[in-house]
Coordinates of all heavy atoms in Angstrom, one line a residue:
G1 N 85.3 94.4 99.2 CA 86.2 95.2 98.4 C 86.7 94.5 97.2 O 86.3 93.3 96.9
W2 N 87.5 95.1 96.4 CA 87.9 94.6 95.1 C 88.7 93.3 95.3 O 88.6 92.4 94.4 CB 88.8 95.6 94.4 CG 90.0 96.1 95.1 CD1 90.2 97.2 95.9 CD2 91.3 95.4 95.2 NE1 91.4 97.2 96.4 CE2 92.2 96.1 96.0 CE3 91.8 94.2 94.6 CZ2 93.5 95.8 96.3 CZ3 93.1 93.8 94.9 CH2 93.9 94.6 95.7
W3 N 89.4 93.1 96.4 CA 90.2 91.9 96.6 C 89.4 90.7 96.7 O 89.9 89.6 96.4 CB 91.1 92.1 97.8 CG 90.3 92.5 99.1 CD1 89.7 91.6 99.9 CD2 90.0 93.8 99.5 NE1 89.0 92.3 100.9 CE2 89.2 93.6 100.6 CE3 90.3 95.0 99.0 CZ2 88.7 94.7 101.3 CZ3 89.8 96.1 99.7 CH2 89.0 96.0 100.9
E4 N 88.1 90.8 97.0 CA 87.3 89.6 97.1 C 87.0 89.0 95.7 O 86.6 87.9 95.6 CB 86.0 90.0 97.8 CG 86.2 90.3 99.2 CD 84.9 91.0 99.9 OE1 84.0 91.4 99.1 OE2 84.9 91.0 101.1
K5 N 87.2 89.9 94.7 CA 86.9 89.4 93.3 C 88.2 89.0 92.6 O 88.2 88.6 91.4 CB 86.3 90.6 92.5 CG 84.9 91.0 93.0 CD 84.5 92.2 92.3 CE 83.3 92.9 93.1 NZ 83.3 94.3 92.9
A6 N 89.3 89.1 93.3 CA 90.6 88.8 92.7 C 90.8 87.3 92.4 O 90.3 86.5 93.2 CB 91.7 89.3 93.6
K7 N 91.4 87.0 91.3 CA 91.7 85.6 90.9 C 92.7 85.0 91.9 O 92.7 83.7 92.0 CB 92.4 85.6 89.5 CG 91.4 85.9 88.4 CD 90.9 84.6 87.9 CE 90.0 84.9 86.6 NZ 89.4 83.7 86.1
C8 N 93.4 85.7 92.6 CA 94.4 85.2 93.6 C 93.7 84.8 94.9 O 94.3 84.1 95.7 CB 95.5 86.1 93.8 SG 95.0 87.7 94.6
A9 N 92.5 85.2 95.1 CA 91.8 84.9 96.4 C 91.8 83.4 96.6 O 91.3 82.7 95.7 CB 90.4 85.5 96.4
G10 N 92.2 83.0 97.7 CA 92.2 81.6 98.1 C 93.4 80.8 97.6 O 93.6 79.6 97.9
K11 N 94.3 81.4 96.8 CA 95.5 80.7 96.3 C 96.6 80.9 97.3 O 96.6 81.9 98.0 CB 95.8 81.2 94.9 CG 94.7 80.9 93.9 CD 95.3 80.9 92.5 CE 94.3 80.6 91.4 NZ 93.0 80.0 91.7
P12 N 97.6 80.0 97.3 CA 98.8 80.2 98.2 C 99.5 81.5 98.0 O 99.8 81.9 96.9 CB 99.7 79.0 97.8 CG 98.9 78.1 97.0 CD 97.8 78.9 96.4
T13 N 99.7 82.3 99.1 CA 100.4 83.6 99.0 C 101.8 83.4 98.5 O 102.3 84.4 97.9 CB 100.4 84.3 100.3 OG1 101.0 83.5 101.3 CG2 99.0 84.7 100.7
R14 N 102.4 82.3 98.6 CA 103.8 82.1 98.2 C 104.0 82.3 96.7 O 105.0 82.6 96.2 CB 104.4 80.8 98.6 CG 103.8 79.6 97.9 CD 104.4 78.3 98.3 NE 103.7 77.1 97.7 CZ 102.6 76.6 98.2 NH1 102.0 77.1 99.3 NH2 102.1 75.6 97.5
M15 N 102.8 82.2 95.9 CA 102.9 82.5 94.5 C 103.2 84.0 94.2 O 103.8 84.3 93.2 CB 101.6 82.1 93.8 CG 101.3 80.6 93.7 SD 99.8 80.2 92.9 CE 100.3 80.7 91.2
W16 N 102.7 84.8 95.1 CA 102.9 86.3 94.9 C 104.0 86.8 95.8 O 104.4 87.9 95.5 CB 101.5 87.0 95.2 CG 100.6 86.8 94.0 CD1 100.4 87.6 93.0 CD2 99.7 85.7 93.8 NE1 99.5 87.1 92.1 CE2 99.1 85.9 92.6 CE3 99.5 84.5 94.5 CZ2 98.2 84.9 92.1 CZ3 98.6 83.6 94.0 CH2 97.9 83.8 92.8
Y17 N 104.4 86.1 96.7 CA 105.5 86.5 97.6 C 106.5 85.3 97.7 O 106.5 84.6 98.7 CB 104.9 86.8 99.0 CG 104.0 88.0 99.1 CD1 102.6 87.8 99.0 CD2 104.5 89.3 99.1 CE1 101.8 88.9 99.1 CE2 103.6 90.4 99.2 CZ 102.3 90.1 99.1 OH 101.4 91.2 99.2
P18 N 107.3 85.1 96.7 CA 108.3 84.1 96.8 C 109.2 84.2 98.1 O 109.4 85.3 98.6 CB 109.2 84.3 95.6 CG 108.3 85.0 94.6 CD 107.4 85.9 95.5
N19 N 109.6 83.0 98.6 CA 110.3 83.0 99.9 C 111.7 83.6 99.8 O 112.4 83.9 100.8 CB 110.4 81.6 100.4 CG 109.1 81.1 100.9 OD1 108.2 81.8 101.3 ND2 108.9 79.8 100.8
S20 N 112.2 83.7 98.6 CA 113.6 84.2 98.4 C 113.6 85.7 98.1 O 112.7 86.2 97.5 CB 114.2 83.4 97.2 OG 115.5 83.9 96.9
T21 N 114.8 86.3 98.3 CA 115.0 87.7 97.9 C 115.2 87.8 96.4 O 115.0 88.8 95.8 CB 116.1 88.3 98.7 OG1 117.3 87.6 98.5 CG2 115.8 88.5 100.2
V22 N 115.6 86.7 95.8 CA 115.8 86.6 94.4 C 114.5 85.9 93.9 O 114.2 84.8 94.2 CB 117.0 85.7 94.0 CG1 117.1 85.6 92.5 CG2 118.3 86.3 94.6
Y23 N 113.8 86.7 93.1 CA 112.5 86.2 92.6 C 112.7 85.0 91.6 O 113.5 85.1 90.7 CB 111.7 87.3 91.9 CG 111.0 88.2 92.9 CD1 111.7 89.3 93.5 CD2 109.7 87.9 93.3 CE1 111.0 90.0 94.4 CE2 109.1 88.7 94.2 CZ 109.7 89.7 94.8 OH 109.1 90.5 95.7
D24 N 111.9 84.0 91.9 CA 111.9 82.8 91.1 C 111.1 83.1 89.8 O 109.9 83.3 89.9 CB 111.3 81.6 91.9 CG 111.3 80.3 91.2 OD1 111.5 80.3 89.9 OD2 111.1 79.3 91.8
Y25 N 111.7 83.0 88.7 CA 111.1 83.4 87.4 C 109.8 82.5 87.2 O 108.8 83.1 86.7 CB 112.1 83.2 86.2 CG 111.4 83.5 84.9 CD1 111.1 84.8 84.5 CD2 111.1 82.4 84.1 CE1 110.5 85.0 83.3 CE2 110.4 82.6 82.9 CZ 110.1 83.9 82.5 OH 109.5 84.2 81.3
V26 N 109.9 81.3 87.5 CA 108.7 80.4 87.2 C 107.6 80.8 88.1 O 106.4 80.9 87.6 CB 109.1 78.9 87.4 CG1 107.9 78.0 87.3 CG2 110.2 78.5 86.4
V27 N 107.8 81.0 89.4 CA 106.8 81.4 90.3 C 106.2 82.8 89.8 O 104.9 82.9 89.8 CB 107.3 81.5 91.7 CG1 106.3 82.1 92.7 CG2 107.7 80.2 92.2
I28 N 107.0 83.7 89.5 CA 106.6 85.0 89.0 C 105.7 84.9 87.8 O 104.7 85.5 87.6 CB 107.7 86.0 88.8 CG1 108.5 86.2 90.1 CG2 107.3 87.3 88.1 CD1 107.7 86.9 91.1
K29 N 106.2 84.1 86.8 CA 105.5 83.9 85.6 C 104.1 83.3 85.8 O 103.1 83.8 85.2 CB 106.3 83.0 84.7 CG 105.7 82.8 83.3 CD 106.6 81.9 82.4 CE 106.2 80.5 82.7 NZ 106.5 79.5 81.8
D30 N 103.9 82.4 86.7 CA 102.6 81.8 87.0 C 101.7 82.8 87.7 O 100.5 82.9 87.4 CB 102.8 80.6 88.0 CG 103.4 79.4 87.2 OD1 103.5 79.4 86.0 OD2 103.8 78.5 88.0
A31 N 102.3 83.6 88.6 CA 101.5 84.6 89.3 C 101.0 85.7 88.3 O 99.8 86.1 88.3 CB 102.3 85.3 90.4
V32 N 101.9 86.1 87.4 CA 101.5 87.2 86.4 C 100.5 86.6 85.5 O 99.5 87.3 85.1 CB 102.8 87.7 85.7 CG1 102.4 88.5 84.5 CG2 103.7 88.4 86.6
A33 N 100.6 85.3 85.1 CA 99.6 84.7 84.2 C 98.2 84.8 84.8 O 97.2 85.1 84.2 CB 99.9 83.3 83.9
I34 N 98.1 84.5 86.1 CA 96.8 84.6 86.8 C 96.3 86.0 86.9 O 95.2 86.3 86.6 CB 96.9 84.0 88.3 CG1 97.1 82.4 88.1 CG2 95.7 84.3 89.1 CD1 97.5 81.8 89.4
C35 N 97.2 86.9 87.2 CA 96.9 88.4 87.2 C 96.3 88.9 85.9 O 95.4 89.7 85.9 CB 98.1 89.2 87.6 SG 98.7 89.0 89.3
C36 N 96.9 88.4 84.8 CA 96.5 88.9 83.5 C 95.0 88.6 83.2 O 94.4 89.3 82.4 CB 97.3 88.3 82.4 SG 99.0 89.0 82.4
E37 N 94.5 87.6 83.8 CA 93.1 87.2 83.6 C 92.2 87.8 84.7 O 91.0 87.5 84.8 CB 92.9 85.7 83.6 CG 93.6 85.1 82.4 CD 93.5 83.6 82.3 OE1 92.8 83.0 83.2 OE2 94.2 83.0 81.5
C38 N 92.7 88.5 85.7 CA 92.0 89.0 86.8 C 91.1 90.2 86.5 O 91.6 91.2 85.9 CB 93.0 89.3 87.9 SG 92.1 89.7 89.5
P39 N 89.9 90.2 87.0 CA 89.0 91.3 86.7 C 89.3 92.5 87.5 O 88.8 93.6 87.2 CB 87.6 90.7 87.1 CG 87.8 89.7 88.1 CD 89.2 89.1 87.7
V40 N 90.1 92.4 88.5 CA 90.5 93.6 89.4 C 92.0 93.9 89.3 O 92.5 94.5 90.2 CB 90.0 93.4 90.8 CG1 88.4 93.4 90.9 CG2 90.5 92.1 91.5
K41 N 92.6 93.5 88.2 CA 94.0 93.7 88.1 C 94.4 95.2 88.2 O 95.4 95.5 88.9 CB 94.5 93.2 86.7 CG 95.9 93.4 86.4 CD 96.4 92.8 85.1 CE 95.9 93.6 83.9 NZ 96.4 93.2 82.7
L42 N 93.7 96.1 87.6 CA 94.0 97.5 87.7 C 93.8 98.0 89.1 O 94.7 98.8 89.6 CB 93.2 98.3 86.7 CG 93.6 98.1 85.3 CD1 92.7 99.0 84.4 CD2 95.1 98.3 85.0
E43 N 92.8 97.6 89.8 CA 92.5 98.1 91.2 C 93.7 97.6 92.1 O 94.1 98.3 93.0 CB 91.2 97.5 91.7 CG 90.0 98.2 91.1 CD 89.5 97.4 89.8 OE1 90.3 96.7 89.2 OE2 88.3 97.6 89.5
C44 N 94.1 96.4 91.8 CA 95.2 95.8 92.6 C 96.5 96.6 92.4 O 97.2 96.9 93.4 CB 95.4 94.3 92.2 SG 96.7 93.4 93.0
L45 N 96.8 96.9 91.1 CA 98.0 97.6 90.8 C 97.9 99.0 91.4 O 98.9 99.5 92.0 CB 98.2 97.7 89.3 CG 99.5 98.4 88.8 CD1 100.7 97.8 89.5 CD2 99.5 98.3 87.3
E46 N 96.8 99.7 91.3 CA 96.6 101.0 91.9 C 96.9 101.0 93.4 O 97.6 101.8 93.9 CB 95.2 101.5 91.6 CG 95.0 102.0 90.2 CD 93.6 102.5 90.0 OE1 92.7 102.3 90.9 OE2 93.3 103.0 88.9
Y47 N 96.3 99.9 94.0 CA 96.5 99.8 95.5 C 98.0 99.7 95.8 O 98.5 100.4 96.7 CB 95.8 98.6 96.0 CG 96.1 98.3 97.5 CD1 95.3 99.0 98.5 CD2 97.1 97.5 97.9 CE1 95.6 98.8 99.8 CE2 97.4 97.3 99.2 CZ 96.6 97.9 100.2 OH 96.9 97.8 101.5
A48 N 98.7 98.8 95.1 CA 100.1 98.6 95.3 C 100.9 99.9 95.1 O 101.8 100.2 95.9 CB 100.7 97.5 94.5
L49 N 100.6 100.6 94.1 CA 101.4 101.8 93.8 C 101.1 102.9 94.8 O 102.0 103.6 95.2 CB 101.0 102.3 92.4 CG 101.5 101.4 91.2 CD1 100.9 101.9 89.9 CD2 103.0 101.4 91.1
N50 N 99.8 103.1 95.2 CA 99.4 104.1 96.1 C 99.8 103.8 97.5 O 99.8 104.7 98.4 CB 98.0 104.4 95.9 CG 97.7 105.1 94.6 OD1 98.5 105.9 94.1 ND2 96.6 104.7 94.0
N51 N 100.1 102.6 97.8 CA 100.4 102.2 99.2 C 101.9 101.7 99.3 O 102.3 101.1 100.3 CB 99.5 101.1 99.7 CG 98.1 101.7 99.9 OD1 97.8 102.3 100.9 ND2 97.2 101.5 98.9
D52 N 102.7 102.0 98.3 CA 104.1 101.7 98.3 C 104.4 100.2 98.7 O 105.3 100.0 99.5 CB 104.8 102.7 99.3 CG 106.3 102.7 99.0 OD1 106.7 102.5 97.9 OD2 107.1 103.1 100.0
E53 N 103.7 99.3 98.1 CA 104.0 97.9 98.3 C 105.3 97.6 97.6 O 105.4 97.8 96.4 CB 102.9 97.0 97.7 CG 101.6 97.1 98.5 CD 101.7 96.3 99.8 OE1 102.6 95.6 100.1 OE2 100.7 96.5 100.6
R54 N 106.3 97.1 98.3 CA 107.6 96.9 97.8 C 108.0 95.5 97.5 O 109.0 95.2 96.9 CB 108.6 97.5 98.7 CG 108.5 99.0 98.8 CD 109.5 99.6 99.7 NE 109.1 101.1 99.8 CZ 110.1 102.0 100.0 NH1 111.3 101.7 100.1 NH2 109.7 103.2 100.1
I55 N 107.1 94.6 97.9 CA 107.4 93.1 97.7 C 106.2 92.5 97.0 O 105.1 93.0 97.1 CB 107.8 92.4 98.9 CG1 106.7 92.5 100.0 CG2 109.1 92.9 99.5 CD1 106.9 91.6 101.2
G56 N 106.4 91.4 96.4 CA 105.3 90.6 95.8 C 104.8 91.1 94.4 O 105.2 92.2 94.0
V57 N 104.0 90.3 93.8 CA 103.4 90.6 92.5 C 102.0 91.2 92.9 O 101.2 90.6 93.6 CB 103.2 89.3 91.7 CG1 102.5 89.7 90.4 CG2 104.6 88.8 91.3
W58 N 101.8 92.4 92.3 CA 100.5 93.1 92.5 C 100.1 93.6 91.1 O 100.8 94.2 90.4 CB 100.7 94.3 93.4 CG 100.9 94.0 94.8 CD1 102.1 93.6 95.4 CD2 99.9 94.0 95.9 NE1 101.9 93.4 96.8 CE2 100.6 93.6 97.1 CE3 98.6 94.3 95.9 CZ2 99.9 93.6 98.3 CZ3 97.9 94.2 97.1 CH2 98.6 93.9 98.3
G59 N 98.8 93.3 90.7 CA 98.3 93.8 89.5 C 99.1 93.3 88.3 O 99.2 94.0 87.3
G60 N 99.8 92.1 88.4 CA 100.6 91.6 87.3 C 101.9 92.2 87.2 O 102.6 91.9 86.2
K61 N 102.4 93.0 88.1 CA 103.7 93.7 88.1 C 104.6 93.3 89.2 O 104.1 93.1 90.3 CB 103.5 95.2 88.1 CG 102.6 95.8 87.0 CD 103.2 95.7 85.7 CE 102.3 96.3 84.7 NZ 102.7 96.0 83.3
T62 N 105.8 93.1 88.9 CA 106.8 92.8 89.9 C 107.2 94.0 90.6 O 106.9 95.1 90.2 CB 108.1 92.2 89.2 OG1 108.7 93.2 88.4 CG2 107.8 90.9 88.4
P63 N 108.0 93.9 91.7 CA 108.4 95.1 92.4 C 109.2 96.1 91.5 O 109.0 97.3 91.6 CB 109.3 94.6 93.5 CG 108.7 93.2 93.8 CD 108.3 92.7 92.4
A64 N 110.1 95.5 90.7 CA 110.9 96.4 89.8 C 110.0 97.1 88.8 O 110.2 98.3 88.5 CB 111.9 95.6 89.0
E65 N 109.0 96.5 88.3 CA 108.1 97.1 87.3 C 107.2 98.2 88.0 O 107.0 99.3 87.4 CB 107.1 96.1 86.7 CG 107.9 95.1 85.8 CD 107.0 93.9 85.4 OE1 106.2 93.4 86.2 OE2 107.2 93.4 84.2
R66 N 106.8 97.9 89.2 CA 106.0 98.9 90.0 C 106.9 100.1 90.3 O 106.5 101.3 90.3 CB 105.4 98.3 91.2 CG 104.3 97.4 90.9 CD 103.5 97.1 92.1 NE 104.2 96.7 93.3 CZ 104.7 95.5 93.6 NH1 104.4 94.5 92.7 NH2 105.4 95.2 94.7
R67 N 108.2 99.8 90.7 CA 109.1 100.9 91.0 C 109.3 101.9 89.8 O 109.2 103.1 90.0 CB 110.5 100.3 91.4 CG 111.4 101.3 92.1 CD 112.6 100.6 92.8 NE 113.1 99.4 92.1 CZ 112.9 98.2 92.6 NH1 112.1 97.9 93.6 NH2 113.4 97.1 91.9
R68 N 109.4 101.3 88.6 CA 109.5 102.1 87.4 C 108.3 103.0 87.2 O 108.4 104.1 86.8 CB 109.8 101.3 86.2 CG 111.3 100.8 86.1 CD 111.6 100.2 84.8 NE 110.9 99.0 84.5 CZ 111.2 97.7 84.8 NH1 112.3 97.6 85.6 NH2 110.5 96.7 84.5
L69 N 107.1 102.4 87.4 CA 105.9 103.2 87.3 C 105.8 104.3 88.3 O 105.4 105.4 88.0 CB 104.6 102.2 87.5 CG 104.3 101.3 86.3 CD1 103.3 100.3 86.7 CD2 103.9 102.0 85.1
S70 N 106.2 104.0 89.5 CA 106.2 105.0 90.6 C 107.2 106.1 90.3 O 106.9 107.3 90.5 CB 106.5 104.4 91.9 OG 105.5 103.6 92.4
E71 N 108.4 105.8 89.8 CA 109.4 106.8 89.5 C 108.9 107.7 88.4 O 109.3 108.9 88.3 CB 110.7 106.1 89.1 CG 111.4 105.5 90.3 CD 112.5 104.6 90.0 OE1 112.8 104.4 88.8 OE2 113.2 104.0 90.9
S72 N 108.1 107.2 87.5 CA 107.6 108.1 86.4 C 106.5 109.0 86.9 O 106.2 110.0 86.2 CB 107.1 107.2 85.2 OG 105.9 106.5 85.6
N73 N 106.0 108.8 88.1 CA 105.0 109.7 88.7 C 105.7 110.8 89.5 O 105.8 110.7 90.7 CB 104.1 108.9 89.6 CG 103.0 109.7 90.2 OD1 102.7 110.8 89.7 ND2 102.4 109.2 91.3
T74 N 106.3 111.7 88.8 CA 107.2 112.7 89.5 C 106.4 113.7 90.4 O 107.0 114.3 91.2 CB 108.0 113.5 88.4 OG1 107.0 114.1 87.5 CG2 109.0 112.6 87.7
N75 N 105.1 113.8 90.2 CA 104.3 114.7 91.0 C 103.8 114.0 92.3 O 103.2 114.7 93.1 CB 103.1 115.2 90.2 CG 103.5 116.1 89.0 OD1 104.5 116.7 89.1 ND2 102.7 116.0 88.0
H76 N 104.1 112.7 92.4 CA 103.7 111.9 93.6 C 102.2 112.0 93.8 O 101.7 112.2 95.0 CB 104.5 112.3 94.8 CG 106.0 112.2 94.6 ND1 106.6 111.0 94.6 CD2 106.9 113.1 94.4 CE1 107.9 111.1 94.3 NE2 108.1 112.4 94.2
Q77 N 101.4 112.0 92.8 CA 100.0 112.1 92.9 C 99.4 110.7 93.0 O 100.1 109.7 92.7 CB 99.4 112.7 91.7 CG 99.8 114.2 91.5 CD 99.3 114.8 90.2 OE1 98.8 114.1 89.3 NE2 99.3 116.1 90.1
T78 N 98.2 110.6 93.5 CA 97.6 109.3 93.6 C 97.5 108.7 92.1 O 97.1 109.5 91.2 CB 96.2 109.4 94.2 OG1 96.3 109.9 95.5 CG2 95.4 108.1 94.2
I79 N 97.8 107.5 91.9 CA 97.8 106.9 90.6 C 96.5 106.2 90.3 O 96.0 105.5 91.1 CB 99.0 105.9 90.5 CG1 100.3 106.6 90.7 CG2 98.9 105.2 89.1 CD1 101.5 105.7 90.8
V80 N 95.9 106.6 89.2 CA 94.6 106.0 88.8 C 94.9 105.5 87.4 O 95.3 106.2 86.5 CB 93.5 107.0 88.8 CG1 92.2 106.4 88.3 CG2 93.3 107.6 90.1
L81 N 94.6 104.2 87.2 CA 94.9 103.5 85.9 C 93.5 103.3 85.2 O 92.6 103.0 85.9 CB 95.6 102.2 86.1 CG 96.9 102.3 86.9 CD1 97.4 100.9 87.3 CD2 98.0 103.0 86.1
D82 N 93.5 103.4 83.9 CA 92.2 103.0 83.2 C 92.6 102.0 82.1 O 93.5 102.0 81.5 CB 91.5 104.2 82.5 CG 91.8 105.6 82.9 OD1 91.9 105.8 84.1 OD2 91.9 106.4 82.0

């Protein structure tokens, strides 16, 4: 699957899922930087949006950023990014 090609594969999950309910800016910044160079960033983000992932960094987006993207999808259709 797409996740096998992800830049995050094999890296500590704590980078994408900080232990605190308050996201650590430095940890998030590092995770997003890795995501920005990832060849499957869009597939990852689509997965998170279409499966209602509410925690962690997915496709270079924080939960709040993904929530805004989901809220703009008023028809609740499957999200496909290009």
Side-chain angles (χ1 to χ4, degrees):
W2 59 264
W3 54 89
E4 295 168 342
K5 299 173 196 151
K7 288 266 186 181
C8 63
K11 298 205 179 345
T13 56
R14 69 180 175 275
M15 289 183 71
W16 285 267
Y17 297 97
N19 291 330
S20 171
T21 56
V22 176
Y23 279 87
D24 181 345
Y25 176 75
V26 173
V27 172
I28 295 297
K29 187 178 84 160
D30 290 345
V32 169
I34 291 169
C35 292
C36 286
E37 297 178 4
C38 184
V40 293
K41 177 175 76 171
L42 292 180
E43 291 91 336
C44 180
L45 181 56
E46 285 176 355
Y47 175 86
L49 293 171
N50 291 322
N51 291 282
D52 199 26
E53 289 288 348
R54 295 178 184 214
I55 60 171
V57 174
W58 289 80
K61 303 290 184 198
T62 64
E65 291 168 327
R66 290 195 311 276
R67 194 168 32 257
R68 285 192 294 274
L69 287 170
S70 290
E71 288 169 357
S72 68
N73 181 20
T74 56
N75 295 328
H76 302 287
Q77 297 175 345
T78 298
I79 298 169
V80 178
L81 305 168
D82 343 316

